[in-house]
Amino acid sequence: MSEMRCRALIFIGDGLGDRPVAEFGGKTPLEYEPTPNLDEIAARGECGLMDPISPGRRAGSDTAHFAILGYDPQKTYTGRGPLEAMGVGLEVQRGDLGFRCNFATAEEQADGVLLVTDRRAGRIAEGTREIADAVNAIPPIDGIRFILEPSVEHRAALVMRGPSLDPHVTDADPHEENLPVHQVEAKAPEAEATAKALNEWVRRTYEVLKGHPVNVARAQAGQKPANVVLPRGCGIAPHLRPFAEEHGTSGALVVEVGLIKGLGRYLGMTVLDAPGATGGYDTDHISLAKTALEALDQAQIVLCNLKAPDLAGHDGLAQRKCETVAKLDEAAGVILHGVDLSSTVVAFTGDHSTPVSVRDHSGDPLPIAIAGHGVRPDEVRAFGERPCGAGNLGRIRGRDIMPILTNLIEIQEKFGA
Ligand code: ZN
Ligand code: ZN
């Protein structure tokens, strides 16, 4: 490790990249909105375009963050289930299976079949903690433990832990109402024991919950009971080397999205919450930036994510997206004035594009600007999709970011002699 211990901060505007907007004369929100601080970073730094996965590939926030944190999502991403479990704060271990779940309403038919009449249990808002506690009292089935954690409203996550589990199973969730609870099926012979235990567990959740006090009270209030738990999206906890082992130094996250926080904890990173960071349009972006600066005292590499640009992209609101870009720029100002660029490297980019015209993630590349220790500044003077394309970094992938940073801060091991 370098004597002076340089540090690196990567700041992500979630869903930052965009496409030309007619009302902005064909500029993107990032090109249209004044961004003096981001422009200064571009001017003092080296710029380029970044494809989160590879050119044209549409990335989720999860796979993009795998890549940006230095892991190959093509090899290590095993689906949303385990990340969902990590995101709600469940401790996930290697080999565990993770699922997303719904608390749902089922009606038992004369033949014993459970008919799902409401997949969201009337969007239950209270009592899910008590319900989950009751479900978690179900003893292990065939030596397999089930750990359920409620999330927002009717949502929950499940961890299945035990010997010889296999993730190749179908969902118990029928995905439509007035259909029976789906019998989980093994998609491979090795998954038969997993499917059998899962079916048994789903049935037990009904037995435990049908007369639960929360549901008795809901029935009295004319609300639908949350009397069955429906798992879906099974995945096995991915094999990822801890961040410190992978990169030879400590890492910290200051992010607003539960999924990414969970991934960070799984990687053994320090996960800090910024006061007032809501993950919404009303988030305290200044607090987020200040917390990221504080995190640099605790870890050598810090990743910070501002969620708001992605929300505006999904909502299809160009003016709103400009407002989130302005917030990102203010956060960049806090960073710019809070670090010593002679001993720190800062990188500004996004995790994927969420164009307001698309209202979803697209495969368009993102601008990236890297400034500080060791950087050779180029001719780019503005931070935007097209200006950055002219920079010396050229076109890189998400997975290239971590090696570029560890090289600049001089902690990377040599490849070869
Ligand atoms: Zn994202
Ligand atoms: Zn999104």
Side-chain angles (χ1 to χ4, degrees):
M1 199 176 289
S2 165
E3 267 300 294
M4 62 192 295
R5 202 172 189 273
C6 292
R7 300 168 302 171
L9 170 64
I10 172 156
F11 207 108
I12 306 279
D14 206 296
L16 183 64
D18 216 297
R19 291 180 177 180
V21 176
E23 62 179 294
F24 299 156
K27 290 186 173 181
T28 68
L30 195 53
E31 292 165 352
Y32 181 76
E33 180 72 20
T35 52
N37 296 303
L38 290 166
D39 292 349
E40 186 177 340
I41 290 163
R44 294 173 68 174
E46 195 172 14
C47 300
L49 288 177
M50 191 277 288
D51 294 294
I53 310 295
S54 57
R57 284 296 298 276
R58 298 173 62 216
S61 285
D62 47 8
T63 49
H65 279 80
F66 265 64
I68 293 167
L69 290 170
Y71 300 87
D72 183 354
Q74 314 268 29
K75 289 193 187 137
T76 55
Y77 185 70
T78 56
R80 184 78 178 266
L83 283 170
E84 203 74 25
M86 295 170 198
V88 298
L90 280 173
E91 190 224 336
V92 178
Q93 301 175 1
R94 247 188 96 182
D96 285 353
L97 299 186
F99 300 81
R100 308 166 79 177
C101 295
N102 273 11
F103 293 109
T105 306
E107 283 174 20
E108 188 168 6
Q109 310 296 293
D111 57 3
V113 165
L114 296 177
L115 194 70
V116 177
T117 54
D118 189 329
R119 284 185 65 245
R120 298 177 182 84
R123 290 197 175 268
I124 183 168
E126 284 168 14
T128 53
R129 165 53 60 197
E130 291 90 323
I131 284 175
D133 286 347
V135 167
N136 284 334
I138 296 173
I141 298 169
D142 300 334
I144 298 165
R145 280 183 66 202
F146 291 79
I147 309 152
L148 183 72
E149 182 67 22
S151 171
V152 183
E153 293 183 335
H154 55 278
R155 301 177 190 88
L158 173 69
V159 159
M160 218 175 149
R161 181 174 299 153
S164 35
L165 292 173
D166 190 283
H168 299 97
V169 291
T170 60
D171 298 344
D173 187 339
H175 294 274
E176 272 179 57
E177 276 148 16
N178 300 312
L179 287 177
V181 172
H182 193 274
Q183 277 294 112
V184 177
E185 286 162 31
K187 294 188 274 189
E190 310 83 76
E192 263 157 31
T194 304
K196 178 173 168 278
L198 198 53
N199 281 322
E200 173 74 21
W201 180 80
V202 171
R203 181 75 204 188
R204 295 253 194 110
T205 68
Y206 176 74
E207 302 299 339
V208 164
L209 295 177
K210 63 182 178 186
H212 191 279
V214 166
N215 284 328
V216 172
R218 287 180 71 78
Q220 282 166 357
Q223 294 168 321
K224 292 178 176 168
N227 59 12
V228 72
V229 183
L230 300 176
R232 66 180 191 278
C234 178
I236 192 160
H239 173 40
L240 299 170
R241 288 172 76 195
F243 184 91
E245 247 176 65
E246 185 70 22
H247 301 297
T249 191
S250 50
L253 289 184
V254 183
V255 299
E256 302 184 282
V257 183
L259 228 58
I260 312 301
K261 284 184 193 177
L263 174 62
R265 281 191 293 264
Y266 188 66
L267 293 172
M269 301 176 79
T270 302
V271 178
L272 297 177
D273 286 316
T278 62
Y281 288 124
D282 64 345
T283 198
D284 187 343
H285 56 295
I286 301 299
S287 163
L288 205 66
K290 285 182 175 166
T291 307
L293 289 176
E294 287 164 18
L296 284 170
D297 293 331
Q298 298 187 35
Q300 196 170 11
I301 298 177
V302 173
L303 182 145
C304 183
N305 177 306
L306 173 72
K307 179 67 181 165
D310 185 54
L311 303 177
H314 284 287
D315 288 342
L317 300 171
Q319 198 54 54
R320 211 11 114 65
K321 190 147 186 192
C322 287
E323 289 162 23
T324 68
V325 165
K327 281 192 159 195
L328 180 70
D329 190 66
E330 287 177 16
V334 172
I335 301 295
L336 199 52
H337 299 110
V339 298
D340 176 1
L341 285 180
S342 70
S343 62
T344 310
V345 174
V346 295
F348 277 80
T349 185
D351 57 343
H352 50 76
S353 295
T354 311
V356 291
S357 60
V358 177
R359 290 174 164 247
D360 202 347
H361 303 185
S362 73
D364 304 298
L366 288 298
I368 181 167
I370 302 178
H373 180 84
V375 171
R376 299 173 298 208
D378 57 25
E379 303 302 316
V380 177
R381 294 289 173 268
F383 187 71
E385 287 84 345
R386 279 164 285 196
C388 284
N392 282 354
L393 266 182
R395 191 154 175 168
I396 63 171
R397 297 169 309 166
R399 276 178 62 209
D400 298 325
I401 293 175
M402 212 46 82
I404 288 171
L405 297 181
T406 57
N407 168 55
L408 286 168
I409 64 174
E410 301 168 35
I411 60 164
Q412 195 185 115
E413 282 196 25
K414 200 187 297 177
F415 176 45

